[in-house]
Amino acid sequence: MATYGSWPTPITSELVVRAAAGLGGVSLHGDTVIWSELRPEEGGRTQLVRRTGDEPPVDLLPKDRNARTAVHEYGGGAWWVAGETVYFVDWADQRLYAVTGDSPPVPVTPEPKVPRGDRWANGCVASGGRWVLVVREHHPSGSGPAEVVNEIVVLDGTGEVAPRTLVTGPDFVSDPRVSPDGSRLCWLQWSHPDMPWDGTELCVADVQWADIGPTLADPRVIAGRPDAGPGGAGAGESVSAPRWAEDGSLWFISDRSDWWNLYRWDPGTDGVTCTVAVDAEIGLPQWVFGQSRFAFLSGGRTVFAFSRAGIDYLAMRLSDGRVVDLDVPYTSFASIQADGDRVVFVGASATVEPAVVSVRVETTGAVTATEILRPPRDLGLDVRLFSRPESISFPSSEGRTAHALFYPPTNPDVTAETGELPPLLVLIHGGPTSAARPMLQLGTQYWTSRGFAVVDVNYGGSTGYGRAYRNQLRHQWGIVDLDDCEAAARWLAEQQRVDPARLCIRGGSAGGYTTLAALAFRNTFAAGASHFGVADLEALATETHKFESRYLDGLIGHYPARRDLYLERSPIHHIDGFDRPLIVLQGLEDEIVPPNQAEMIVEALRAKGIPVAYVAFEGEQHGFRQAVNIRRALDAELSFYAQVFGFTLPAGERIDLVPVENL
């Protein structure tokens, strides 16, 4: 028998990062598949990997290159393929490069006047490969968010014609895509205070080609609309992921029916029709560029992923409009690509880490010829060690129902102490417009295999449950999210599945804010862990980057008109409410939540005498990418809980105790 929290487990922090690779985008061209891998053991850089036919996979980029863009700070869409050429943005200088075959990378964009002043993302290639249409985010010297300009620019791959702006004016643009016959260009645009999940516009323009490249004529909005009212009133239409079909029609995802479903624009009739209507989410919030949740198969078929009750599924729309489910053993899908009857995607399940998977799909919907192109790690673990998520729903404030994924403590080699209930970790995802991911994550199993219960809460405002659910957080950040996280913990305690005296809360970024707010304003939780969390909402509103510089208008209220709410809901201004232990983990190069936010709250708790631990990480931005820092963050948090709750750390792991002041 062993006390919950002290269970010995092979899922150590070293295993969490060993040979780990975060699989990102996928590209499929004929028998060649290219994908990206974020590698913590290589300093957190992103490598591109190519596999052709049955040949072994090969790395495409030299070891000093990192395919990562800083556009919107969150990035995504940092690379794309045209024939034999791969275009990618290098993290160091943010310039766009081209790689053909085994040749070294060649810069496509000029060196900016300001280091990293021109950032590129989300491009496509047209007219035989000469012209590259791409999003540029321009940062003038010493600029603040108001001076940053986002545009669609055309680049000449031969270098003969200087870069030229095609679309400018909106605060943000994305997804420039040229129709198969080259006659039209589509793109998405939106402006403050909207975020892309509030309201975007899908635009189409006629394209005329000349020696200087494309010029646009008759630009028009064919779908989407800005969110209505100051700060957003929930009446907008969020459109994403435009894709041209071979017949010249334009498909896209829209939430005009409350759910992010599939639609089609016919240039002949200039009409929009719904092609897939399900009470589930096909789309995702556009935090990053380049997400792909549907793709075209041969014979007028479309393959797509959708999320229902927190779990992903894969399906196919037939040419006659019927939808059939595809029998594949995964609960999470990303980066779906297709060619002919072949589908390639990143898939994961409750017991399998993400893998790059290839399948063949018959016209009947039968799935054949499954091949794992990039397998998950061989962890060498008994699958009985893995806690499998349960989709739960529970009552919350104002008669609402909230949702979560619950992971019970699981370890076949340990018997719990008689009569003891496990401590609970309430996970708060970032965003806050994001969602819990229904897939094997060793960072979660690290806790459940030690005897912690974990609940990953999809509080009101999360995606995956329709626009109305997403809009529950309108002007209610710091209220609805707290209510739902408390409700999840209390409901599980009432069900006698967790120890009501050992309820903990942890989260990163926006989840870190909810963690801090829960400790400042509520008394449900016995301890908390804030990973690069927001302590001062006013500072966030005035110091953050362009993409999120007006985000809080919709989450709280317009600043400075509603400065009272910013002060009222900022944990830093309510130190008197803190009386529970807290650990704070922070990257020192974070541009989204600057380190001073963490340091302010830590200093305040020190002065008040509240138990507090602070771990800062050199060289880390918003989220930890380096293996040594990921390990340190996990082990430091575990040692913090061990000291707070008085259980013994497993022998043999040699976990250093994090200093906890005032304990």
Side-chain angles (χ1 to χ4, degrees):
M1 290 187 178
T3 301
Y4 285 113
S6 65
W7 293 359
T9 173
I11 305 179
T12 63
S13 64
E14 188 276 331
L15 180 63
V16 170
V17 301
R18 184 199 307 160
L23 300 180
V26 172
S27 174
L28 170 61
H29 294 268
D31 64 347
T32 296
V33 179
I34 299 174
W35 63 85
S36 64
E37 296 184 3
L38 188 162
R39 298 176 175 175
E41 290 187 323
E42 296 181 13
R45 78 181 184 109
T46 297
Q47 173 64 279
L48 303 182
V49 182
R50 179 182 63 212
R51 175 169 169 170
T52 300
D54 294 330
E55 298 176 3
V58 296
D59 289 352
L60 288 180
L61 305 183
K63 293 183 178 180
D64 62 342
R65 297 292 185 172
N66 182 358
R68 182 183 172 200
T69 177
V71 177
H72 293 181
E73 300 298 335
Y74 293 100
W79 63 277
W80 54 93
V81 180
E84 299 297 318
T85 301
V86 177
Y87 295 85
F88 76 95
V89 180
D90 188 67
W91 175 252
D93 59 10
Q94 287 298 293
R95 295 175 70 185
L96 182 66
Y97 290 80
V99 175
T100 303
D102 297 325
S103 301
V106 176
V108 178
T109 55
E111 187 171 352
K113 296 179 181 179
V114 177
R116 303 178 94 239
D118 285 333
R119 306 173 181 183
W120 308 86
N122 200 213
C124 72
V125 180
S127 189
R130 177 177 179 181
W131 304 103
V132 182
L133 287 76
V134 59
V135 173
R136 177 179 66 186
E137 185 174 271
H138 177 63
H139 293 247
S141 177
S143 64
E147 289 73 43
V148 174
V149 177
N150 294 68
E151 301 171 311
I152 295 174
V153 171
V154 59
L155 305 171
D156 180 7
T158 69
E160 297 176 6
V161 180
R164 182 168 54 87
T165 300
L166 284 179
V167 178
T168 190
D171 289 325
F172 303 99
V173 289
S174 74
D175 294 89
R177 300 291 182 263
V178 178
S179 62
D181 64 1
S183 66
R184 294 184 177 90
L185 173 73
C186 74
W187 69 92
L188 292 171
Q189 63 184 33
W190 67 97
S191 292
H192 290 311
D194 286 346
M195 299 299 285
W197 44 87
D198 297 326
T200 56
E201 295 177 315
L202 175 56
C203 302
V204 171
D206 297 332
V207 177
Q208 299 171 351
W209 296 91
D211 291 341
I212 62 169
T215 57
L216 305 184
D218 189 26
R220 54 210 182 272
V221 176
I222 63 167
R225 61 180 178 271
D227 203 63
E237 178 186 356
S238 171
V239 173
S240 62
R243 303 283 187 273
W244 293 101
E246 285 300 320
D247 64 2
S249 63
L250 182 61
W251 292 52
F252 57 91
I253 295 172
S254 167
D255 67 354
R256 61 177 61 184
S257 71
D258 185 50
W259 299 97
W260 269 318
N261 282 184
L262 269 178
Y263 292 80
R264 176 182 182 271
W265 174 73
D266 183 348
T269 64
D270 198 28
V272 171
T273 56
C274 182
T275 57
V276 176
V278 289
D279 289 343
E281 300 279 42
I282 298 173
L284 297 170
Q286 195 173 318
W287 278 104
V288 297
F289 294 104
Q291 299 177 118
S292 180
R293 293 275 282 183
F294 73 95
F296 301 120
L297 291 157
S298 61
R301 298 171 296 157
T302 306
V303 61
F304 63 94
F306 66 92
S307 176
R308 177 176 288 147
I311 305 297
D312 272 0
Y313 302 88
L314 195 66
M316 180 175 68
R317 179 190 186 272
L318 304 178
S319 58
D320 61 6
R322 289 180 296 136
V323 172
V324 296
D325 292 337
L326 301 182
D327 185 14
V328 288
Y330 301 101
T331 56
S332 176
F333 297 91
S335 199
I336 297 171
Q337 304 292 327
D339 187 3
D341 63 355
R342 186 185 188 193
V343 181
V344 177
F345 55 85
V346 176
S349 74
T351 58
V352 177
E353 287 190 309
V356 179
V357 182
S358 171
V359 299
R360 300 280 180 179
V361 182
E362 305 291 341
T363 56
T364 60
V367 176
T368 63
T370 299
E371 184 181 10
I372 308 299
L373 304 179
R374 201 292 184 186
R377 291 181 291 173
D378 182 5
L379 298 171
L381 298 176
D382 185 339
V383 294
R384 295 180 302 161
L385 265 171
F386 300 144
S387 179
R388 305 190 183 201
E390 305 171 20
S391 291
I392 62 172
S393 299
F394 46 89
S396 189
S397 60
E398 306 296 328
R400 295 179 304 105
T401 298
H403 312 280
L405 298 176
F406 176 66
Y407 297 81
T410 304
N411 191 321
D413 297 323
V414 181
T415 301
E417 293 281 357
T418 302
E420 186 186 16
L421 291 172
L424 175 69
L425 283 184
V426 177
L427 302 190
I428 314 300
H429 62 68
T433 308
S434 187
R437 304 176 67 189
M439 54 186 276
L440 177 62
Q441 299 177 82
L442 285 196
T444 298
Q445 306 296 326
Y446 174 93
W447 299 102
T448 56
S449 64
R450 297 170 188 277
F452 280 82
V454 172
V455 63
D456 207 345
V457 184
N458 282 323
Y459 49 83
S462 303
T463 51
Y465 301 89
R467 185 181 181 99
Y469 191 79
R470 203 163 67 241
N471 284 344
Q472 288 183 9
L473 212 59
R474 293 278 177 155
H475 301 158
Q476 297 297 305
W477 193 31
I479 298 175
V480 163
D481 49 325
L482 266 66
D483 288 347
D484 291 356
C485 293
E486 278 193 310
R490 289 175 173 168
W491 185 81
L492 288 167
E494 290 168 2
Q495 303 297 311
Q496 297 185 350
R497 303 194 70 177
V498 300
D499 184 350
R502 293 188 292 173
L503 306 176
C504 307
I505 184 168
R506 71 189 298 262
S509 190
Y513 163 71
T514 302
T515 295
L516 295 173
L519 297 182
F521 303 125
R522 310 292 176 91
N523 58 11
T524 296
F525 298 101
S530 170
H531 297 241
F532 38 92
V534 178
D536 187 340
L537 294 173
E538 184 175 33
L540 182 65
T542 56
E543 296 176 4
T544 196
H545 56 111
K546 178 184 177 181
F547 181 63
E548 292 185 282
S549 61
R550 298 289 301 279
Y551 188 17
L552 298 189
D553 284 27
L555 292 175
I556 299 172
H558 181 67
Y559 183 87
R562 294 314 313 267
R563 182 173 181 263
D564 59 320
L565 292 179
Y566 285 73
L567 300 181
E568 179 182 308
R569 299 185 197 172
S570 292
I572 192 65
H573 297 302
H574 298 275
I575 300 301
D576 57 324
F578 281 91
D579 59 5
R580 309 295 169 89
L582 172 70
I583 182 171
V584 177
L585 305 108
Q586 176 70 39
L588 294 180
E589 295 181 8
D590 194 337
E591 296 289 339
I592 296 170
V593 178
N596 66 326
Q597 296 254 338
E599 291 158 4
M600 283 191 295
I601 203 78
V602 169
E603 286 298 328
L605 294 185
R606 280 173 178 158
K608 191 181 179 185
I610 303 299
V612 62
Y614 179 49
V615 185
F617 298 98
E618 294 279 357
E620 291 286 9
Q621 294 90 42
H622 197 64
F624 307 144
R625 301 169 71 92
Q626 300 177 40
V628 64
N629 295 335
I630 295 171
R631 289 195 62 187
R632 176 59 177 154
L634 276 170
D635 289 343
E637 188 174 346
L638 175 63
S639 79
F640 170 77
Y641 295 134
Q643 293 175 72
V644 168
F645 294 127
F647 62 80
T648 304
L649 291 172
E653 285 193 61
R654 297 181 180 178
I655 295 174
D656 294 331
L657 291 180
V658 66
V660 181
E661 302 177 53
N662 302 325
L663 186 62

